[in-house]
């Protein structure tokens, strides 16, 4: 147990509007949306300015205090989960939009701004911030950058990384870096901005970002297709993308749909199908009808619903976006894996065999961003199944899954990050030489090892 932290010294350096929380006020920082049961941190600091963050990190360096950066706490791998000896640094009070340059299509924001606030501010200028996911209301830009968040429109627009024109971060030694400064061209050596994107708070704390914005898209159509087999998903994808400009191609099974319907959504079809695809694309009635007819004639699609207005489009999206929330009370074990999109059919077949053999009696719920080669598979044990035995079984099978991913050259974490949960499996995706280089890079940014200790790297 550490002695009392020297907070008086820090308090005098923090600006008006910042806060230091203790005891029960820290409870909220204990966990994220993953199933990791964290501990209540010894302190939670809510800086109100970049200078505050610099002061906090320098104070932590002086006293060797471990810091856990915290955004909207919507992560799914325990990346922001503290131990009781950690100090959480939450960016929630740094949520100002600093500038919008509609002509240059950029927006500069503090790290604690919520994704949806950025999206709305871009829309107010007739522009689009296209990185999007179900947690848009709570997730924050700093956290999105720390995990290189993906989501539902990666197919057309790419990941968070593709929309960061520049960022400010405070390194683990308390230095403020301004990386790339919004430049489009900058061939002046290592692009440290891209090292920081996806570094899960292990190098420092992102405090500001200049985001790129896109032109507002043309009107979109949302189509839900019913398919007779998972093996046909990529046939549907190939046909749709041949003539339609897709912005999303999302997949889920009947098992997933049943959970969303049980949570209050309306079932889209009179009778169930093994799986479904939600496609969103630039409005093109003729191309859409031709594609549907061809898919129906070849038996790849057995039924379809096309949203006739925005409310119906939201209703269809709810069937896909509501999956995570509808499962959360069952505390599923989550896989978030990726292969190259062309490998999806053979990879699904291998996984289906593996999970069928190794998870008898468990519910295996498939969904995800198949157009990106990204599958989410949630495992749920029967009611009353002992938690420890369940997790041990999932750990054993995830090592086997890691072996399969190694065969495919895939990733054990497509978009949720490694955090705490996926550390034992990092080696299936990253060879030891690569992990060693990452450790060395961390040491350069964070020589005292105070930034998000224990995350990302295998113990
Ligand atoms: C999603 O695509 O819905 C998210 O990544 C969340 C999840 O995997 O549960
Ligand atoms: Zn996802």
């Amino acid at each position: 147990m550490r002695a009392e932290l020297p907070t008086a010294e820090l308090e005098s350096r923090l600006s008006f509007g910042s806060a230091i929380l203790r005891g029960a006020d820290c409870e909220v920082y204990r966990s994220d949306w993953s199933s990791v049961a964290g501990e209540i941190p010894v302190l939670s600091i809510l800086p109100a300015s970049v200078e505050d963050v610099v002061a906090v990190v320098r104070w932590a360096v002086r006293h060797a205090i471990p810091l856990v950066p915290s955004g909207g706490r919507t992560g799914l791998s325990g990346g922001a989960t503290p131990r009781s000896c950690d100090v959480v640094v939450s960016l929630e009070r740094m949520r100002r939009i600093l500038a919008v340059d509609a002509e240059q299509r950029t927006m500069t924001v503090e790290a604690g701004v919520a994704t949806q606030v950025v999206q709305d501010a871009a829309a107010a200028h007739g522009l689009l911030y296209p990185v999007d996911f179900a947690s848009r209301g709570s997730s924050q830009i700093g956290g999105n950058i720390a995990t290189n968040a993906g989501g539902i429109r990666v197919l057309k627009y790419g990941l968070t990384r593709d929309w960061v024109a520049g960022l400010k971060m405070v390194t683990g030694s308390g230095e403020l870096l301004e990386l790339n400064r919004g430049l489009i061209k900058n061939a002046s050596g290592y692009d440290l901005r891209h090292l920081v994107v996806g570094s899960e708070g292990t190098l420092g704390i992102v405090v500001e970002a200049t985001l790129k914005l896109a032109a507002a898209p043309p009107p979109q159509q949302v189509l839900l297709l019913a398919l007779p087999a998972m093996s046909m998903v990529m046939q549907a994808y190939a046909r749709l993308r041949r003539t339609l400009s897709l912005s999303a191609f999302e997949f889920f099974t009947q098992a997933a749909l049943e959970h969303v319907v049980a949570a209050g959504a309306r079932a889209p079809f009179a009778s169930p199908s093994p799986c479904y695809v939600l496609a969103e694309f630039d409005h093109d009635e003729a191309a859409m009808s031709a594609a549907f007819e061809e898919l129906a004639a070849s038996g790849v699609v057995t039924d379809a619903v096309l949203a006739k207005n925005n409310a119906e489009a939201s209703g269809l999206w709810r069937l896909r976006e509501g999956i995570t929330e509808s499962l959360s009370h069952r505390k599923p074990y989550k896989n978030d894996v990726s292969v190259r999109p062309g490998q999806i059919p053979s990879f699904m077949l291998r996984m289906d065999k593996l999970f069928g053999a190794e998870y008898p009696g468990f519910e295996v719920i498939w969904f995800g961003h198949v157009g990106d080669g990204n599958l989410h598979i949630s495992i749920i044990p029967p009611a009353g199944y002992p938690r420890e035995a369940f997790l041990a079984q999932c750990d054993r099978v995830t090592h086997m899954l890691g072996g399969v991913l190694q065969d495919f050259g895939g990733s054990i974490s497509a978009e949720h990050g490694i955090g705490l949960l996926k550390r034992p499996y990092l080696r299936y995706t990253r060879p030891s030489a690569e992990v060693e280089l990452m450790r060395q890079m961390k040491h350069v940014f964070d020589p005292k090892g105070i930034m998000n200790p224990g995350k990302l790297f295998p113990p």
Side-chain angles (χ1 to χ4, degrees), residues 225-357:
L225 300 172
L227 276 66
M230 278 201 318
S231 57
M232 292 182 173
V233 165
M234 294 314 269
Q235 282 165 261
Y237 178 55
R239 176 59 192 88
L240 291 187
R241 78 192 296 227
R242 207 164 75 222
T243 51
L244 292 168
S245 172
L246 290 174
S247 52
F249 187 85
E250 297 284 314
F251 146 84
F252 52 96
T253 54
Q254 173 63 21
L257 178 64
E258 278 166 19
H259 283 278
V260 186
V261 169
R266 242 187 76 196
F269 301 109
S271 51
S273 292
C275 66
Y276 306 91
V277 153
L278 183 152
E280 186 185 80
F281 42 86
D282 293 358
H283 188 110
D284 187 338
E285 210 67 46
M288 189 272 302
S289 300
F292 170 70
E293 272 158 33
E294 211 178 294
L295 287 168
S298 57
V300 172
V301 162
T302 50
D303 210 342
V305 183
L306 178 70
K308 289 190 287 300
N309 50 46
N310 285 346
E312 286 188 13
S314 304
L316 293 183
W317 265 115
R318 182 181 172 198
L319 301 175
R320 163 63 186 88
E321 292 201 299
I323 297 171
T324 297
E325 205 181 328
S326 73
L327 300 179
S328 62
H329 68 289
R330 303 290 304 274
K331 293 207 171 126
Y333 182 88
K334 283 172 174 294
N335 298 107
D336 161 45
V337 294
S338 68
V339 292
R340 285 174 288 284
Q343 298 172 306
I344 281 281
S346 48
F347 180 63
M348 276 180 156
L349 218 61
R350 279 279 292 276
M351 292 225 300
D352 198 25
K353 261 198 198 132
L354 175 71
F355 288 171

Side-chain angles (χ1 to χ4, degrees), residues 76 133 150-152 250 320 324 336 367-369 374 376 415-416:
L76 292 164
F133 19 71
I152 55 179
E250 297 284 314
R320 163 63 186 88
T324 297
D336 161 45
F367 61 106
H369 322 282
N374 178 187
H376 299 309
E415 61 173 5
H416 295 168

